[in-house]
Amino acid sequence: MIRRLTQLFVGLGLYGFSMALMIRADLGLDPWDVFHQGLSHRTPLSFGLIVCAVGAAVLLLWVPLRQRPGIGTVANVVVIGLAADASLALLPDFQGLPLRGVMLAASIVLNGIAGGLYIGAGLGPGPRDGLMTGLVRRTGWPIRRVRTGIELVVLASGWLLGGTVGLGTVAYALAIGPLVQVFLPLFTIREPAGEAVAVPAE
């Protein structure tokens, strides 16, 4: 359990850092962060606090879906947003397209590693992942259709609110699935008998 908790919190902290790095690259964000950033432009709350607030609101949607949160779910709501705000306070704005491109690529790779870490800890999905899997279970629709539908809604909403859509948005959409597929097996914690701890579907 100590290893799982350590891996969980390292993964969540790295996830928040990768989000901040993508914001500083300023070449476009992933769909949920377009939404988070758009909301932060319209409210006095920081980006990280918006991430926390949206996570808590999404978690409420688990009730009719009869989803059960885990330790990792609750930690996800709190840690990622705080880590993002702390990282944004430390990271400078990157100048020049080549440097911004490198930082964008690094942020996406780090996000994939972070996802593998916290999902592989097996302590519960994040609120947004749980919403997706809950809808899949309740509707019987394919996971790709549900995930795509959710992300199109939040992307369009975030863009209308002023969130940044660009090359990074497309790059993230194309790369994050394969990256998590690579890193998740590396970080999935297995029981002594050799069976993997159950993790949420991607």
Side-chain angles (χ1 to χ4, degrees), residues 11-155:
L12 294 176
L14 183 60
Y15 202 97
F17 174 78
S18 71
M19 292 164 69
L21 197 61
M22 189 177 292
I23 290 172
R24 291 295 187 236
D26 197 25
L27 290 172
L29 305 175
D30 70 89
W32 276 104
D33 285 345
V34 173
F35 182 62
H36 297 144
Q37 187 185 57
L39 284 176
S40 71
H41 290 335
R42 305 285 179 165
T43 70
L45 299 178
S46 67
F47 176 85
L49 289 179
I50 289 290
V51 172
C52 296
V54 170
V58 171
L59 193 56
L60 291 177
L61 297 177
W62 284 33
V63 176
L65 296 174
R66 297 181 181 176
Q67 290 278 91
R68 293 183 178 179
I71 297 172
T73 309
V74 178
N76 186 296
V77 172
V78 178
V79 175
I80 289 180
L82 296 181
D85 267 356
S87 300
L88 285 169
L90 296 174
L91 289 170
D93 290 323
F94 300 117
Q95 303 298 320
L97 187 58
L99 178 59
R100 290 163 60 202
V102 170
M103 293 301 104
L104 171 65
S107 71
I108 295 173
V109 173
L110 289 175
N111 194 274
I113 294 172
L117 282 167
Y118 89 76
I119 295 171
L123 293 174
R128 298 156 188 80
D129 290 331
L131 174 64
M132 174 184 65
T133 55
L135 286 171
V136 168
R137 187 178 299 112
R138 296 283 286 180
T139 64
W141 294 344
I143 193 166
R144 288 183 181 275
R145 182 187 301 177
V146 173
R147 179 169 184 165
T148 299
I150 292 172
E151 293 192 348
L152 284 176
V153 169
V154 297
L155 177 62

Side-chain angles (χ1 to χ4, degrees), residues 172-191:
Y172 184 93
L174 293 175
I176 195 60
L179 284 170
V180 173
Q181 188 173 357
V182 168
F183 291 116
L184 182 56
L186 298 178
F187 297 120
T188 296
I189 296 176
R190 299 179 178 275
E191 298 289 3

